[in-house]
Amino acid sequence: MSTMIAHWASPTPEEFRTQRREVSSETDVDTLLATISSEPLAEAAFIVHEQRLLVPDPIVQDGTLVHDHELIVAARGGWGYMHMWTDDDDGTWILEGDPASPKYVQGESEFAAGTGLPIAEVAAALREFLTTARRPECVKWVPDRP
């Protein structure tokens, strides 16, 4: 069975909380997106796929192993946003979004206007990633340029 692990910040006025959720089914994908879109101060979720490789950390260089990829997913107001890098691809990628999608900013998470897709399309992409452990092909991606 494939499993993804999602982590995100979910602060409240009283405390800073971090959340962790295992995602191993289509229902879990829907629950994750519903949760991060409904928590008023939730930031984007950082998602790793447990079946992908661990590689030496290129920054710390002390033998620590890290995942060879990272998928960042945000959801709000019926829109979903994704940013991804993997060792398989050259560079980092964002969705080729719907021009009508608004800018997403929450805490340290930010996606430009026009880079979001309807939440159902992002859910389909997450389901594909859960199954394949590769950058989803059911959505269009463009290189992320600063």
Side-chain angles (χ1 to χ4, degrees):
M1 172 180 18
S2 294
T3 302
M4 301 182 302
I5 306 296
H7 295 269
W8 69 96
S10 182
T12 67
E14 296 81 32
E15 68 178 322
F16 184 84
R17 299 179 301 159
T18 58
Q19 305 287 337
R20 179 186 185 278
R21 174 160 295 156
E22 286 189 16
V23 177
S24 57
S25 71
E26 291 187 7
T27 300
D28 291 345
V29 167
D30 295 336
T31 301
L32 172 66
L33 290 172
T35 300
I36 63 174
S37 70
S38 66
E39 293 180 3
L41 300 176
E43 296 186 19
F46 290 77
I47 299 174
V48 294
H49 199 292
E50 291 292 292
Q51 279 66 49
R52 287 192 59 102
L53 297 175
L54 294 174
V55 297
D57 188 325
I59 298 171
V60 179
Q61 297 182 353
D62 66 353
T64 300
L65 296 177
V66 296
H67 286 279
D68 70 341
H69 69 289
E70 185 172 78
L71 175 60
I72 301 170
V73 177
R76 184 82 73 232
W79 296 100
Y81 304 81
M82 299 174 81
H83 177 271
M84 186 168 196
W85 67 264
T86 70
D87 276 357
D88 302 344
D89 298 322
D90 184 21
T92 59
W93 301 87
I94 58 171
L95 293 175
E96 183 178 300
D98 183 324
S101 63
K103 182 177 184 176
Y104 173 95
V105 178
Q106 184 62 49
E108 294 185 16
S109 306
E110 184 172 340
F111 290 86
T115 62
L117 289 174
I119 199 72
E121 292 181 46
V122 171
L126 280 177
R127 288 185 193 104
E128 181 180 335
F129 183 60
L130 177 63
T131 302
T132 66
R134 303 192 61 77
R135 184 162 47 95
E137 295 179 358
C138 67
V139 292
K140 292 183 181 177
W141 298 88
V142 294
D144 185 16
R145 296 188 175 97

